[in-house]
Amino acid sequence: MEDISLRARVRRMVQTGEMPCEETGKIWAGRGVGTHCAACGYAITPSEVEFEITLTSGVELRLHRGCHDVWREECEELSARD
Ligand SMILES: [Zn+2]
């Protein structure tokens, strides 16, 4: 997985509001079930950890643990810039 393009993709999704920076508190972690990750687009296999986030809009995001970390990092960077 290429980290730079993933980061750029996540940043764009944050900016467009597809992956808004919000703390819903509704985050579940579990084994992947083959769902495609919202950030990188690759399947989250049963050998990987899947993060499931329910946004306030009701939209569910499923992310790899690593992709979730990138998302949080981008959000922290964004809030530090304001
Ligand atoms: Zn991913």
Side-chain angles (χ1 to χ4, degrees), residues 6-29:
L6 170 67
R7 201 165 280 276
R9 197 180 154 100
V10 168
R11 187 171 301 172
R12 202 185 57 208
M13 289 179 81
V14 167
Q15 285 165 347
T16 59
E18 286 175 87
M19 281 171 55
C21 294
E22 54 179 44
E23 298 284 348
T24 63
K26 288 179 189 164
I27 297 177
W28 296 86

PDB file of all heavy atoms in Angstrom, residues 6-29:
ATOM      1  N   LEU A   6      -2.470   7.282  -0.305  1.00  0.00           N
ATOM      2  CA  LEU A   6      -3.550   7.025   0.644  1.00  0.00           C
ATOM      3  C   LEU A   6      -3.837   8.293   1.443  1.00  0.00           C
ATOM      4  O   LEU A   6      -4.978   8.698   1.611  1.00  0.00           O
ATOM      5  CB  LEU A   6      -3.167   5.883   1.603  1.00  0.00           C
ATOM      6  CG  LEU A   6      -4.123   5.688   2.784  1.00  0.00           C
ATOM      7  CD1 LEU A   6      -5.480   5.192   2.312  1.00  0.00           C
ATOM      8  CD2 LEU A   6      -3.535   4.725   3.803  1.00  0.00           C
ATOM      9  N   ARG A   7      -2.764   8.927   1.899  1.00  0.00           N
ATOM     10  CA  ARG A   7      -2.890  10.152   2.685  1.00  0.00           C
ATOM     11  C   ARG A   7      -3.573  11.256   1.871  1.00  0.00           C
ATOM     12  O   ARG A   7      -4.446  11.965   2.371  1.00  0.00           O
ATOM     13  CB  ARG A   7      -1.491  10.597   3.137  1.00  0.00           C
ATOM     14  CG  ARG A   7      -1.474  11.522   4.315  1.00  0.00           C
ATOM     15  CD  ARG A   7      -0.088  11.606   4.906  1.00  0.00           C
ATOM     16  NE  ARG A   7       0.206  10.457   5.756  1.00  0.00           N
ATOM     17  CZ  ARG A   7      -0.158  10.369   7.041  1.00  0.00           C
ATOM     18  NH1 ARG A   7      -0.805  11.353   7.614  1.00  0.00           N
ATOM     19  NH2 ARG A   7       0.111   9.304   7.750  1.00  0.00           N
ATOM     20  N   ALA A   8      -3.179  11.393   0.610  1.00  0.00           N
ATOM     21  CA  ALA A   8      -3.763  12.409  -0.265  1.00  0.00           C
ATOM     22  C   ALA A   8      -5.249  12.129  -0.481  1.00  0.00           C
ATOM     23  O   ALA A   8      -6.080  13.041  -0.494  1.00  0.00           O
ATOM     24  CB  ALA A   8      -3.030  12.433  -1.603  1.00  0.00           C
ATOM     25  N   ARG A   9      -5.570  10.846  -0.627  1.00  0.00           N
ATOM     26  CA  ARG A   9      -6.953  10.434  -0.840  1.00  0.00           C
ATOM     27  C   ARG A   9      -7.812  10.724   0.387  1.00  0.00           C
ATOM     28  O   ARG A   9      -8.917  11.250   0.291  1.00  0.00           O
ATOM     29  CB  ARG A   9      -6.942   8.927  -1.132  1.00  0.00           C
ATOM     30  CG  ARG A   9      -8.185   8.382  -1.756  1.00  0.00           C
ATOM     31  CD  ARG A   9      -7.979   6.887  -1.961  1.00  0.00           C
ATOM     32  NE  ARG A   9      -9.262   6.200  -1.962  1.00  0.00           N
ATOM     33  CZ  ARG A   9      -9.892   5.832  -3.070  1.00  0.00           C
ATOM     34  NH1 ARG A   9      -9.344   6.063  -4.232  1.00  0.00           N
ATOM     35  NH2 ARG A   9     -11.052   5.234  -3.010  1.00  0.00           N
ATOM     36  N   VAL A  10      -7.258  10.384   1.555  1.00  0.00           N
ATOM     37  CA  VAL A  10      -7.974  10.622   2.811  1.00  0.00           C
ATOM     38  C   VAL A  10      -8.176  12.122   3.015  1.00  0.00           C
ATOM     39  O   VAL A  10      -9.262  12.572   3.375  1.00  0.00           O
ATOM     40  CB  VAL A  10      -7.207  10.012   4.009  1.00  0.00           C
ATOM     41  CG1 VAL A  10      -7.778  10.504   5.337  1.00  0.00           C
ATOM     42  CG2 VAL A  10      -7.260   8.486   3.953  1.00  0.00           C
ATOM     43  N   ARG A  11      -7.129  12.906   2.729  1.00  0.00           N
ATOM     44  CA  ARG A  11      -7.219  14.356   2.894  1.00  0.00           C
ATOM     45  C   ARG A  11      -8.329  14.930   2.020  1.00  0.00           C
ATOM     46  O   ARG A  11      -9.111  15.767   2.447  1.00  0.00           O
ATOM     47  CB  ARG A  11      -5.879  15.001   2.524  1.00  0.00           C
ATOM     48  CG  ARG A  11      -5.812  16.488   2.827  1.00  0.00           C
ATOM     49  CD  ARG A  11      -4.417  17.016   2.641  1.00  0.00           C
ATOM     50  NE  ARG A  11      -3.464  16.325   3.515  1.00  0.00           N
ATOM     51  CZ  ARG A  11      -2.147  16.486   3.454  1.00  0.00           C
ATOM     52  NH1 ARG A  11      -1.622  17.287   2.571  1.00  0.00           N
ATOM     53  NH2 ARG A  11      -1.352  15.836   4.268  1.00  0.00           N
ATOM     54  N   ARG A  12      -8.410  14.433   0.783  1.00  0.00           N
ATOM     55  CA  ARG A  12      -9.436  14.928  -0.127  1.00  0.00           C
ATOM     56  C   ARG A  12     -10.831  14.554   0.375  1.00  0.00           C
ATOM     57  O   ARG A  12     -11.768  15.335   0.301  1.00  0.00           O
ATOM     58  CB  ARG A  12      -9.212  14.378  -1.544  1.00  0.00           C
ATOM     59  CG  ARG A  12      -9.877  15.230  -2.606  1.00  0.00           C
ATOM     60  CD  ARG A  12      -9.761  14.616  -3.972  1.00  0.00           C
ATOM     61  NE  ARG A  12     -10.337  13.282  -3.973  1.00  0.00           N
ATOM     62  CZ  ARG A  12      -9.964  12.292  -4.792  1.00  0.00           C
ATOM     63  NH1 ARG A  12      -9.024  12.506  -5.667  1.00  0.00           N
ATOM     64  NH2 ARG A  12     -10.532  11.112  -4.735  1.00  0.00           N
ATOM     65  N   MET A  13     -10.953  13.331   0.903  1.00  0.00           N
ATOM     66  CA  MET A  13     -12.256  12.886   1.403  1.00  0.00           C
ATOM     67  C   MET A  13     -12.680  13.676   2.638  1.00  0.00           C
ATOM     68  O   MET A  13     -13.871  13.889   2.864  1.00  0.00           O
ATOM     69  CB  MET A  13     -12.210  11.388   1.705  1.00  0.00           C
ATOM     70  CG  MET A  13     -12.144  10.555   0.428  1.00  0.00           C
ATOM     71  SD  MET A  13     -12.057   8.784   0.744  1.00  0.00           S
ATOM     72  CE  MET A  13     -13.782   8.404   1.054  1.00  0.00           C
ATOM     73  N   VAL A  14     -11.683  14.109   3.428  1.00  0.00           N
ATOM     74  CA  VAL A  14     -11.981  14.957   4.582  1.00  0.00           C
ATOM     75  C   VAL A  14     -12.480  16.306   4.082  1.00  0.00           C
ATOM     76  O   VAL A  14     -13.483  16.848   4.563  1.00  0.00           O
ATOM     77  CB  VAL A  14     -10.732  15.131   5.485  1.00  0.00           C
ATOM     78  CG1 VAL A  14     -10.945  16.257   6.493  1.00  0.00           C
ATOM     79  CG2 VAL A  14     -10.420  13.823   6.212  1.00  0.00           C
ATOM     80  N   GLN A  15     -11.792  16.846   3.056  1.00  0.00           N
ATOM     81  CA  GLN A  15     -12.147  18.162   2.517  1.00  0.00           C
ATOM     82  C   GLN A  15     -13.513  18.155   1.841  1.00  0.00           C
ATOM     83  O   GLN A  15     -14.255  19.121   1.934  1.00  0.00           O
ATOM     84  CB  GLN A  15     -11.061  18.627   1.534  1.00  0.00           C
ATOM     85  CG  GLN A  15      -9.794  19.100   2.248  1.00  0.00           C
ATOM     86  CD  GLN A  15      -8.595  19.227   1.314  1.00  0.00           C
ATOM     87  OE1 GLN A  15      -8.631  18.749   0.189  1.00  0.00           O
ATOM     88  NE2 GLN A  15      -7.524  19.844   1.796  1.00  0.00           N
ATOM     89  N   THR A  16     -13.837  17.057   1.152  1.00  0.00           N
ATOM     90  CA  THR A  16     -15.126  16.998   0.458  1.00  0.00           C
ATOM     91  C   THR A  16     -16.269  16.611   1.394  1.00  0.00           C
ATOM     92  O   THR A  16     -17.429  16.653   1.006  1.00  0.00           O
ATOM     93  CB  THR A  16     -15.092  15.979  -0.700  1.00  0.00           C
ATOM     94  OG1 THR A  16     -14.764  14.694  -0.169  1.00  0.00           O
ATOM     95  CG2 THR A  16     -14.084  16.367  -1.762  1.00  0.00           C
ATOM     96  N   GLY A  17     -15.911  16.202   2.613  1.00  0.00           N
ATOM     97  CA  GLY A  17     -16.953  15.849   3.567  1.00  0.00           C
ATOM     98  C   GLY A  17     -17.372  14.389   3.513  1.00  0.00           C
ATOM     99  O   GLY A  17     -18.307  13.980   4.199  1.00  0.00           O
ATOM    100  N   GLU A  18     -16.689  13.596   2.669  1.00  0.00           N
ATOM    101  CA  GLU A  18     -17.015  12.171   2.611  1.00  0.00           C
ATOM    102  C   GLU A  18     -16.592  11.452   3.889  1.00  0.00           C
ATOM    103  O   GLU A  18     -17.208  10.484   4.317  1.00  0.00           O
ATOM    104  CB  GLU A  18     -16.316  11.510   1.410  1.00  0.00           C
ATOM    105  CG  GLU A  18     -16.932  11.856   0.075  1.00  0.00           C
ATOM    106  CD  GLU A  18     -16.113  11.278  -1.067  1.00  0.00           C
ATOM    107  OE1 GLU A  18     -16.347  10.134  -1.437  1.00  0.00           O
ATOM    108  OE2 GLU A  18     -15.217  11.983  -1.561  1.00  0.00           O
ATOM    109  N   MET A  19     -15.472  11.936   4.438  1.00  0.00           N
ATOM    110  CA  MET A  19     -14.995  11.407   5.711  1.00  0.00           C
ATOM    111  C   MET A  19     -14.777  12.589   6.647  1.00  0.00           C
ATOM    112  O   MET A  19     -13.659  12.991   6.893  1.00  0.00           O
ATOM    113  CB  MET A  19     -13.680  10.629   5.516  1.00  0.00           C
ATOM    114  CG  MET A  19     -13.921   9.239   4.969  1.00  0.00           C
ATOM    115  SD  MET A  19     -12.401   8.395   4.489  1.00  0.00           S
ATOM    116  CE  MET A  19     -11.479   8.492   5.997  1.00  0.00           C
ATOM    117  N   PRO A  20     -15.861  13.186   7.132  1.00  0.00           N
ATOM    118  CA  PRO A  20     -15.745  14.391   7.958  1.00  0.00           C
ATOM    119  C   PRO A  20     -15.035  14.117   9.275  1.00  0.00           C
ATOM    120  O   PRO A  20     -15.098  13.011   9.799  1.00  0.00           O
ATOM    121  CB  PRO A  20     -17.202  14.799   8.193  1.00  0.00           C
ATOM    122  CG  PRO A  20     -17.982  13.544   8.048  1.00  0.00           C
ATOM    123  CD  PRO A  20     -17.254  12.722   7.018  1.00  0.00           C
ATOM    124  N   CYS A  21     -14.373  15.136   9.772  1.00  0.00           N
ATOM    125  CA  CYS A  21     -13.690  15.023  11.052  1.00  0.00           C
ATOM    126  C   CYS A  21     -14.698  15.261  12.162  1.00  0.00           C
ATOM    127  O   CYS A  21     -14.995  16.392  12.500  1.00  0.00           O
ATOM    128  CB  CYS A  21     -12.549  16.027  11.145  1.00  0.00           C
ATOM    129  SG  CYS A  21     -11.237  15.674   9.985  1.00  0.00           S
ATOM    130  N   GLU A  22     -15.238  14.222  12.676  1.00  0.00           N
ATOM    131  CA  GLU A  22     -16.168  14.370  13.780  1.00  0.00           C
ATOM    132  C   GLU A  22     -15.949  13.224  14.756  1.00  0.00           C
ATOM    133  O   GLU A  22     -15.532  12.134  14.383  1.00  0.00           O
ATOM    134  CB  GLU A  22     -17.611  14.365  13.273  1.00  0.00           C
ATOM    135  CG  GLU A  22     -17.967  13.164  12.427  1.00  0.00           C
ATOM    136  CD  GLU A  22     -19.427  13.182  11.967  1.00  0.00           C
ATOM    137  OE1 GLU A  22     -19.912  14.242  11.532  1.00  0.00           O
ATOM    138  OE2 GLU A  22     -20.072  12.144  12.061  1.00  0.00           O
ATOM    139  N   GLU A  23     -16.215  13.509  15.994  1.00  0.00           N
ATOM    140  CA  GLU A  23     -16.057  12.496  17.029  1.00  0.00           C
ATOM    141  C   GLU A  23     -17.446  12.007  17.406  1.00  0.00           C
ATOM    142  O   GLU A  23     -18.128  12.595  18.221  1.00  0.00           O
ATOM    143  CB  GLU A  23     -15.350  13.096  18.258  1.00  0.00           C
ATOM    144  CG  GLU A  23     -13.952  13.610  17.977  1.00  0.00           C
ATOM    145  CD  GLU A  23     -12.935  12.479  17.842  1.00  0.00           C
ATOM    146  OE1 GLU A  23     -13.263  11.320  18.192  1.00  0.00           O
ATOM    147  OE2 GLU A  23     -11.817  12.757  17.389  1.00  0.00           O
ATOM    148  N   THR A  24     -17.862  10.950  16.799  1.00  0.00           N
ATOM    149  CA  THR A  24     -19.196  10.442  17.081  1.00  0.00           C
ATOM    150  C   THR A  24     -19.184   9.526  18.298  1.00  0.00           C
ATOM    151  O   THR A  24     -20.203   9.313  18.930  1.00  0.00           O
ATOM    152  CB  THR A  24     -19.746   9.630  15.889  1.00  0.00           C
ATOM    153  OG1 THR A  24     -18.903   8.495  15.696  1.00  0.00           O
ATOM    154  CG2 THR A  24     -19.766  10.462  14.625  1.00  0.00           C
ATOM    155  N   GLY A  25     -18.021   8.981  18.587  1.00  0.00           N
ATOM    156  CA  GLY A  25     -17.924   8.039  19.691  1.00  0.00           C
ATOM    157  C   GLY A  25     -18.434   6.661  19.320  1.00  0.00           C
ATOM    158  O   GLY A  25     -18.382   5.740  20.116  1.00  0.00           O
ATOM    159  N   LYS A  26     -18.937   6.555  18.095  1.00  0.00           N
ATOM    160  CA  LYS A  26     -19.456   5.260  17.665  1.00  0.00           C
ATOM    161  C   LYS A  26     -18.455   4.576  16.758  1.00  0.00           C
ATOM    162  O   LYS A  26     -18.555   4.634  15.535  1.00  0.00           O
ATOM    163  CB  LYS A  26     -20.792   5.438  16.933  1.00  0.00           C
ATOM    164  CG  LYS A  26     -21.929   5.803  17.839  1.00  0.00           C
ATOM    165  CD  LYS A  26     -23.199   5.993  17.016  1.00  0.00           C
ATOM    166  CE  LYS A  26     -24.314   6.573  17.858  1.00  0.00           C
ATOM    167  NZ  LYS A  26     -25.400   7.105  17.014  1.00  0.00           N
ATOM    168  N   ILE A  27     -17.479   3.978  17.360  1.00  0.00           N
ATOM    169  CA  ILE A  27     -16.471   3.271  16.583  1.00  0.00           C
ATOM    170  C   ILE A  27     -16.371   1.843  17.081  1.00  0.00           C
ATOM    171  O   ILE A  27     -16.216   1.595  18.272  1.00  0.00           O
ATOM    172  CB  ILE A  27     -15.089   3.974  16.699  1.00  0.00           C
ATOM    173  CG1 ILE A  27     -15.159   5.380  16.104  1.00  0.00           C
ATOM    174  CG2 ILE A  27     -14.018   3.146  15.985  1.00  0.00           C
ATOM    175  CD1 ILE A  27     -13.885   6.182  16.237  1.00  0.00           C
ATOM    176  N   TRP A  28     -16.502   0.926  16.164  1.00  0.00           N
ATOM    177  CA  TRP A  28     -16.410  -0.481  16.497  1.00  0.00           C
ATOM    178  C   TRP A  28     -15.217  -1.073  15.776  1.00  0.00           C
ATOM    179  O   TRP A  28     -14.976  -0.769  14.626  1.00  0.00           O
ATOM    180  CB  TRP A  28     -17.669  -1.232  16.067  1.00  0.00           C
ATOM    181  CG  TRP A  28     -18.882  -0.778  16.781  1.00  0.00           C
ATOM    182  CD1 TRP A  28     -19.679   0.269  16.430  1.00  0.00           C
ATOM    183  CD2 TRP A  28     -19.444  -1.334  17.971  1.00  0.00           C
ATOM    184  NE1 TRP A  28     -20.710   0.396  17.339  1.00  0.00           N
ATOM    185  CE2 TRP A  28     -20.588  -0.578  18.285  1.00  0.00           C
ATOM    186  CE3 TRP A  28     -19.093  -2.414  18.800  1.00  0.00           C
ATOM    187  CZ2 TRP A  28     -21.383  -0.854  19.393  1.00  0.00           C
ATOM    188  CZ3 TRP A  28     -19.887  -2.691  19.900  1.00  0.00           C
ATOM    189  CH2 TRP A  28     -21.016  -1.920  20.194  1.00  0.00           C
ATOM    190  N   ALA A  29     -14.502  -1.911  16.453  1.00  0.00           N
ATOM    191  CA  ALA A  29     -13.396  -2.613  15.820  1.00  0.00           C
ATOM    192  C   ALA A  29     -13.682  -4.104  15.836  1.00  0.00           C
ATOM    193  O   ALA A  29     -14.169  -4.640  16.830  1.00  0.00           O
ATOM    194  CB  ALA A  29     -12.094  -2.325  16.555  1.00  0.00           C
TER     195      ALA A  29
END
